[in-house]
């Protein structure tokens, strides 16, 4: 029977592995987490590992826990007990030297981490070898493998930087030659030893320390090359060789190594054909990686000496050609990109010419790989035998191959690459077009692939291209009615709309083809048509501006039958055509398109008031988002003083939008797109929106008070920035009114914070503090001296109890910016020296106010920031959290240090190691004295990270560190 000492641990592990309710699993998880950080875990883990009753899973958990204890909690043990810990680890490792391997690996990591921290242990390698014995070859090799890996991850080890440097020298540099001799000796001991994957993994690991030249010039090179011919060692040998490559990327310093390796690698080329002919996909993948990573490392040599290194390039091309299952070719994509980047430089034009034929063949290979598979039966609706994962993988893979085709376009001419796709299309039309019967299209895969290639290369083709597109576009608009061909053809046409804009004679046939796609039975084709029309409207708006009436009839006829995404894309296209109207016709064009949308909005809003379903709400939101597309894209220019016709139409739109906002105060799905429309009016029409401003500001204020929705603050931010002091065409009275509008929103927020805890308001908090960041930049001279500045700082501190990343980041950014106004380097986003937003030093009055507020609330701020860093903040918030502390140290270093000490000393009892407070504070004091804030940040982050790893928040709370509710009586 298992010992009673660790029976609760085994029971909790069993609970985690069985099908019980989530509450019991959560309880078991919390117990195990607390156990892992407790001092009792030292003895319990050893007991579990020594027990004959514990399961393999329990022993693996124990080994993993022990690894964490040694990495993070070694200070829980007296220093005098470390030799006994080392001996017990060696004893356990001896017991597990033959496996199971996962447990053995964890124990090797334990021993390596102890070796790093136990600086008095000087004979690490001899003692490990002696205790494990000569028969434990795999175990010793694994320890040797993990030792360099753990040393190089030294930031998680509790050593000073100087101690870690010294220990690294002792363990790695001083032992490198001994380890290399040991590996050579082991490789010669037997044939099986030379082919042992652990040997190769160990070589790879020690290449961090042993120069690749030493390995290449030793018998180990022969071992690695020979291992490439043995199945059991092949993968490890490929990894090892690729590790050597990476050490030779500085080619001028590694010429001898490269010239030694190159013939050995190229001589392996016959294995490509052997693997392909035998259907050995794993070997083919390994060989492809072997050649491709050599190419990546030596791409400079290939560019300098194209004739000498052509053999490697041909081998990589052969890998692409022979990979019929398309499992290996992705390993070459980075190489082709790196080579393209190199040989398109002026200095390497010779290599570009020499390799032109290779890239031409690569285009053919890639287009062939783009083909959909041919089904074994007659069911063409299931090309992947029901394997949806394989289908998605293939679709993503095609886009990566499209990137390779773009690389080819840069090396050889775009016209040549396009010509290859055109020739394949033309060849198919000549061979198979006459055999098409309805939607039955023979060998459609051979036609669809070059269409996809054309689509992929579209970005590379200049609008001035005047050879291939003139021939291929007339062919595309005649393609047979097969859903995949129609889809790909329409998508391809959508990529060449910039070219079409300069060749208007080709517009009408393409437009007819795309518009016909809206009536296709395939939803994929319909979606492609909507997306393509978006590009035609965007790029050919000038050509279509006289057809705005006809397009409206088409728009109205198809809009409601489209999926929402396609409605948005179609609306994008027609909105750009509206934007191309002459200035005096903008109002009538917007009215033509948007009046029916407003009628839809009115009807849907009325229905949503009676039908409370989500679909009814989303129908209203979708209509609002389409209106926003027109507001965003129709941005005509009018000279100052002229009536802005788009704003004139927005005046007609505003009452209905306001009514919708007032009728759906508890429906964020509708309020957010309404606010998006409000915001877009300001961003699109800038100061021309001034006639709307009183109504808009009133609606934003009322809307926020009634709904408590953060989106109204988000829209407020656009008004604040656009009408800031110093902006052109904005007078001081308008700026003053906008500031009072902001202050009204801020007071409303403080009342909301008084009524509700931060956990109920994460989105509102995020939007408010993002608004405050801009308020500081544009209105700090008004905002900071006001009475609400202090309560806002208190509110910011109280929100730091949240655990969601976005509101925390917004608050921390505000705090950092606010504190900067107490210094000579206030936050800024402008280089305009004449603007209030410029990076001018704060006035003495502003600095004094900030420092007074910080002096009053600094200790609370430090408590909340440190508590968050130690317990609750997401990892991505830690940098900004430490930035707040650093800003405090910049403003008032002595007080900040005192606040940090006070906070640390009231942490839960037993959570701080003996002497840790003094050690941390001494480090802080030395960094302050040296003026090294970068290292001060590292001290704070290292302490909080170490504390967080060792402790969990107590169930009974944090005592005096528990947050207090924000209160506002203003």
């Amino acid at each position: 029977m298992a010992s009673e000492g660790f029976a609760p641990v085994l029971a909790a592990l069993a609970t985690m592995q069985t099908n019980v309710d989530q509450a019991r699993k959560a309880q078991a998880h919390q117990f195990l987490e607390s156990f892992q950080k407790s001092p009792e875990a030292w003895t319990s883990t050893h007991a579990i590992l020594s027990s004959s009753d514990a399961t393999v899973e329990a022993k693996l958990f124990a080994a993993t826990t022990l690894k964490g204890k040694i990495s993070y909690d070694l200070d829980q043990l007296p220093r005098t007990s470390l030799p006994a810990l080392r001996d017990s680890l060696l004893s356990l490792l001896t017991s597990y030297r033959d496996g199971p391997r996962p447990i053995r690996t964890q124990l090797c990591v334990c021993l390596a981490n102890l070796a790093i921290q136990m600086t008095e242990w000087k004979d690490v390698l001899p003692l490990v070898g002696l205790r494990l014995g000569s028969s434990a070859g795999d175990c010793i090799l694994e320890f040797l493998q993990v030792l360099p890996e753990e040393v190089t991850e030294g930031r998680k080890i509790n050593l000073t930087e100087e101690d870690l440097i010294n220990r690294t020298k002792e363990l790695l540099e001083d032992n490198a030659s001994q380890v290399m001799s040991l590996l050579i000796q082991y490789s010669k001991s037997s044939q099986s030893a030379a082919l042992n994957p652990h040997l190769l993994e160990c070589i790879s690991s020690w290449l961090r320390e042993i120069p690749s030249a030493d390995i290449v010039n030793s018998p180990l090179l022969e071992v690695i090359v020979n291992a490439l011919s043995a199945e059991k060692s092949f993968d490890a040998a490929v990894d090892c060789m690729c590790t050597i490559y990476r050490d030779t990327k500085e080619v001028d310093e590694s010429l001898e190594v490269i010239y030694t390796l190159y013939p050995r690698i190229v001589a392996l080329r016959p294995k490509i054909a052997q693997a392909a002919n035998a259907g050995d996909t794993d070997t083919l993948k390994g060989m492809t990686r072997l050649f491709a990573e050599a190419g990546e490392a030596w791409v400079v040599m290939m560019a300098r000496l194209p004739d000498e290194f052509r053999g490697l390039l041909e081998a990589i091309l052969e890998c692409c050609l022979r990979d019929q299952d398309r499992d290996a070719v992705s390993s070459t994509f980075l190489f082709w990109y790196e080579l393209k980047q190199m040989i398109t430089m002026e200095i390497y034009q010779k290599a570009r010419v020499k390799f032109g034929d290779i890239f031409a063949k690569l285009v053919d290979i890639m287009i062939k790989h783009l083909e959909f598979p041919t089904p074994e039966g007659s069911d063409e609706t299931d090309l992947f035998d029901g394997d949806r994962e394989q289908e998605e993988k293939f679709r993503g893979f095609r886009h990566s191959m499209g990137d390779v085709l773009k690389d080819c376009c840069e090396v050889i001419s775009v016209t040549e690459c396009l010509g290859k796709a055109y020739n394949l299309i033309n060849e198919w039309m000549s061979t198979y077009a006459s055999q098409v019967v309805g939607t039955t299209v023979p060998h459609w895969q051979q036609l669809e692939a070059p269409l996809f290639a054309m689509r992929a290369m579209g970005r590379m083709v200049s609008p001035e291209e005047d050879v291939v597109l003139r021939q291929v576009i007339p062919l595309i608009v005649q393609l047979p009615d097969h859903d995949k061909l129609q889809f790909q053809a329409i998508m391809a046409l959508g990529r060449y709309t910039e070219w079409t804009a300069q060749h208007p004679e080709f517009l009408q046939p393409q437009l007819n083809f795309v518009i016909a796609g809206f009536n296709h039975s395939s939803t994929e084709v319909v979606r492609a048509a909507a997306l393509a029309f978006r590009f035609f409207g965007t790029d050919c708006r000038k050509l279509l501006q006289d057809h705005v009436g006809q397009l409206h009839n088409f728009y109205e006829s198809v809009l409601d039958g489209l999926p929402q995404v396609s409605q948005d894309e179609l609306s994008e296209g027609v909105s750009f055509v509206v934007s191309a109207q002459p200035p005096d016709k903008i109002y009538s064009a917007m009215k033509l398109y948007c009046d029916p949308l407003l009628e839809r909005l009115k009807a849907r809003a009325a229905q949503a008031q009676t039908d409370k379903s989500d679909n009814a709400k989303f129908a209203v939101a979708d209509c609002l988002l389409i209106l926003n597309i027109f507001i965003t894209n129709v941005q005509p220019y009018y000279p100052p003083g002229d009536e802005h016709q788009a704003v004139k139409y927005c005046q007609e739109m505003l009452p209905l939008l306001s009514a919708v906002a007032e009728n759906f105060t508890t429906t964020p799905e509708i309020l957010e797109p309404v606010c998006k429309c409000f915001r877009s009016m300001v961003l699109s029409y800038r100061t021309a929106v001034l006639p709307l401003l009183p109504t808009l500001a009133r609606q934003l204020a009322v809307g926020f008070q009634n709904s408590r929705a953060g989106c109204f603050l988000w829209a407020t931010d656009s008004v604040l920035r656009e009408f800031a002091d110093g902006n052109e065409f904005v007078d001081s009275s308008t700026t003053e009114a906008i500031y009072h509008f902001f202050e009204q929103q801020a007071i409303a927020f403080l009342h909301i914070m008084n009524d509700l805890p931060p956990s109920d308001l994460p989105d509102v908090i995020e939007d408010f503090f993002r608004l405050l960041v801009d308020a500081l930049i544009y209105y700090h001279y008004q905002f900071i001296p006001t009475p609400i500045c202090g309560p806002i700082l208190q509110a910011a501190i109280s929100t730091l109890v949240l655990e969601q990343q976005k509101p925390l980041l917004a608050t921390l950014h505000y705090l950092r910016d606010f504190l900067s106004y107490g210094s000579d380097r206030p936050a800024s986003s402008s280089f305009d020296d004449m603007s209030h937003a410029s990076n001018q030093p704060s006035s003495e009055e502003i600095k004094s106010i900030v420092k007074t507020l910080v002096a009053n609330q600094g200790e609370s701020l430090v408590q909340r920031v440190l508590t968050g860093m130690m317990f609750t903040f997401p990892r991505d918030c830690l940098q900004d959290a430490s930035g707040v502390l650093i800003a405090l140290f910049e403003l008032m270093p002595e007080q900040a240090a005192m606040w940090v000490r006070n906070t640390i000393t009231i942490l839960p009892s037993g959570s701080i190691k003996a002497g840790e407070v003094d050690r941390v504070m001494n480090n802080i004091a030395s960094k302050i004295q040296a003026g090294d804030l970068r290292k001060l940040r590292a001290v704070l982050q290292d302490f909080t990270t170490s504390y967080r790893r060792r402790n969990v928040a107590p169930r009974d709370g944090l005592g005096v560190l528990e947050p207090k509710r924000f209160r506002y009586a203003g």
Side-chain angles (χ1 to χ4, degrees), residues 543-758:
L543 301 179
L544 294 170
Q545 66 177 347
D546 295 334
H547 303 283
V548 68
Q550 297 165 271
L551 285 177
H552 175 256
N553 294 333
F554 158 71
Y555 178 68
E556 281 293 313
S557 69
V558 302
L559 183 66
D560 291 332
L562 295 174
Q564 187 55 44
V565 172
S566 297
Q567 288 188 28
D568 293 347
E569 289 166 346
L570 177 61
S571 300
E572 287 259 0
V574 296
S575 68
F576 279 112
V577 177
V578 170
S579 74
Q581 299 303 299
D584 61 335
K585 294 184 178 179
I586 288 291
Y587 173 79
S588 60
M590 283 194 75
K591 193 171 183 63
L592 177 67
Y593 279 87
C594 293
D595 272 3
L597 293 172
L598 291 175
E599 289 301 318
R600 283 184 179 86
L601 175 61
K602 192 183 300 182
R604 292 179 184 182
Q607 183 179 355
Q609 286 185 289
T610 55
D611 177 0
K612 303 296 184 181
S613 68
D614 287 344
N615 287 339
K617 297 174 188 175
F618 291 139
V620 176
D622 293 342
C623 197
L624 288 163
L625 291 172
I626 293 176
L627 284 168
N628 183 66
I629 288 171
F630 281 90
I631 298 169
T632 301
N633 293 338
V634 182
Q635 297 185 25
Y637 171 75
Y638 295 90
D642 287 9
E643 182 181 40
H644 197 294
Q645 293 204 4
V647 173
K648 177 183 176 182
Y649 185 76
C650 286
Q651 282 181 303
E652 298 179 9
M653 189 188 301
L654 200 54
L656 180 56
L657 296 181
S658 300
V660 170
E662 290 167 7
N663 290 328
F664 293 93
T665 55
T666 59
T667 311
E669 299 90 345
I670 292 175
L671 292 178
E672 288 179 9
V674 168
C675 289
K676 185 175 282 191
C677 290
F678 291 157
R679 185 172 185 269
S680 295
M681 289 178 188
V682 177
L683 297 180
S684 294
Y685 309 128
R686 317 297 296 247
T687 52
V689 83
L690 194 60
L692 303 182
L693 203 53
T695 304
L696 194 57
R698 183 169 58 253
Q699 186 54 51
L700 291 173
V702 171
F704 181 52
Q705 289 173 0
N706 292 341
S707 69
R708 298 183 170 183
C711 53
F712 288 97
L713 299 176
W714 178 60
T716 298
D717 193 18
S718 63
V719 177
L720 202 69
R721 280 187 279 114
E722 189 57 43
F723 291 92
D725 191 13
N727 280 7
E728 194 177 9
F729 309 123
V730 178
D731 58 39
S732 58
S733 61
T734 301
T735 301
E736 189 69 22
I738 293 300
Y739 174 74
H740 288 301
F741 162 54
F742 153 73
E743 201 171 66
Q744 182 183 357
Q745 298 288 66
I747 291 170
F749 171 81
L750 293 175
H751 282 296
I752 293 170
M753 282 285 292
N754 180 73
D755 296 341
L756 296 170

Side-chain angles (χ1 to χ4, degrees), residues 316-334:
I316 299 171
L317 184 72
E318 184 180 352
C319 290
C320 297
L321 174 65
R322 293 187 178 275
D323 182 25
Q324 298 304 310
D325 293 332
R326 294 173 287 215
D327 286 330
V329 67
S330 59
S331 299
T332 70
F333 292 163
L334 178 59

Side-chain angles (χ1 to χ4, degrees), residues 46-58:
H46 278 77
I48 294 172
L49 286 164
S50 302
S51 170
S52 58
D53 296 329
T55 64
V56 171
E57 291 79 10

